[in-house]
Amino acid sequence: MATYIVLLGPPGVGKGTQARILSETSKLAHVSSGDLFRENLKNETELGKLAKSFMDKGELVPDDVTISMIRDRISRPDCEAGAILDGFPRTPAQATALEDMLAEFGSEVNAVPYITAAESVLVERASGRWTCKAQGHIYHEKFNPPKQAGVCDIDGSEVYQREDDKVETVTKRIRVYFEQTMPLVEHYRTAGKLIEIDGTQPVEQVTKDLLAALKR
Ligand code: ADP
Ligand code: ADP
């Protein structure tokens, strides 16, 4: 049976960083809703144009388009063994849609690591984040700078600061997270799937805790 892991946590806590590492060690596909929206933005698709107006304001893209984008993505062959979902679901309606989708495949959400950190840590991380243009590799100006300033270590493309990583937008996104995504924490706790992880630790320690928790 396929394995589906939902990484839950506020903006900037380190979900993308950990999802990439877990995906490499587990061979599960990394499915990031934010990356998919940014890809659509770059390719100037209709979905990208629609998403941009919400992303720029730090608001969530409407559930219907988000759900159908994820449905398409997890139906691709590279998700046959399962996936690490990063940034989805983010609302109760998305969680229900995910459960329905996976039930169609005869699967379910297996585990939900919930990574946490204080708001000041989130703002410092997200506002110092640098993202690679070609493939979304993640850096931080202080905690994880690229070897050569402005250039991705992995694919040599330019790194840029996301429009929505300005302090004001990050603060708004954290508020949106508390209002719209927090109910999922209780939802998955009640389902016995939530695993709390201390996200304030260095990247390597967070990975160790995640791997140990997922083994159990
Ligand atoms: P999210 O996907 O949850 O928004 P990211 O993985 O993109 O978070 O990380 C946000 C920023 O914080 C990035 O600049 C990343 O390099 C940095 N970061 C991630 N995890 C850690 C950590 N454990 N310690 C310090 N910085 C981190
Ligand atoms: P972060 O890594 O900081 O958590 P993301 O890259 O996941 O941020 O998301 C960036 C933006 O993309 C969000 O502010 C929102 O506008 C949009 N987005 C991403 N995932 C979702 C989702 N599941 N539902 C609605 N909007 C989303």
Side-chain angles (χ1 to χ4, degrees), residues 10-12 15 33-35 37-38 54-55 58-61 66 87-90 94 129 162 164 173:
K15 300 181 299 298
S33 45
D35 284 355
F37 283 130
R38 281 184 288 278
F54 295 95
M55 293 170 82
E59 291 171 4
L60 294 185
V61 180
T66 304
F88 181 94
R90 253 176 160 97
Q94 292 180 13
R129 170 166 50 197
R162 279 166 46 183
D164 62 346
R173 283 160 55 207

Side-chain angles (χ1 to χ4, degrees), residues 147-198:
K147 290 192 185 80
Q148 190 188 332
V151 181
C152 176
D153 294 346
I154 300 164
D155 59 34
S157 81
E158 192 188 329
V159 300
Y160 74 106
Q161 187 163 35
R162 279 166 46 183
E163 254 322 286
D164 62 346
D165 277 343
K166 286 193 229 119
V167 172
E168 314 83 76
T169 320
V170 169
T171 309
K172 168 77 184 290
R173 283 160 55 207
I174 294 170
R175 203 166 69 229
V176 166
Y177 165 83
F178 279 110
E179 286 167 7
Q180 303 196 48
T181 309
M182 269 311 258
L184 299 190
V185 172
E186 286 319 310
H187 172 77
Y188 287 119
R189 198 196 304 278
T190 306
K193 294 182 176 173
L194 201 78
I195 306 166
E196 295 196 44
I197 303 283
D198 176 8

Side-chain angles (χ1 to χ4, degrees), residues 82-150:
I84 296 162
L85 296 163
D86 158 21
F88 181 94
R90 253 176 160 97
T91 64
Q94 292 180 13
T96 306
L98 176 65
E99 275 146 37
D100 293 347
M101 266 179 240
L102 298 186
E104 280 173 37
F105 306 155
S107 291
E108 60 175 358
V109 171
N110 299 94
V112 184
Y114 170 42
I115 313 176
T116 55
E119 181 157 347
S120 55
V121 174
L122 305 176
V123 174
E124 188 183 25
R125 285 189 185 170
S127 61
R129 170 166 50 197
W130 288 82
T131 305
C132 127
K133 266 199 173 141
Q135 296 181 67
H137 296 117
I138 303 163
Y139 299 90
H140 190 280
E141 59 185 12
K142 213 156 90 188
F143 306 130
N144 176 29
K147 290 192 185 80
Q148 190 188 332

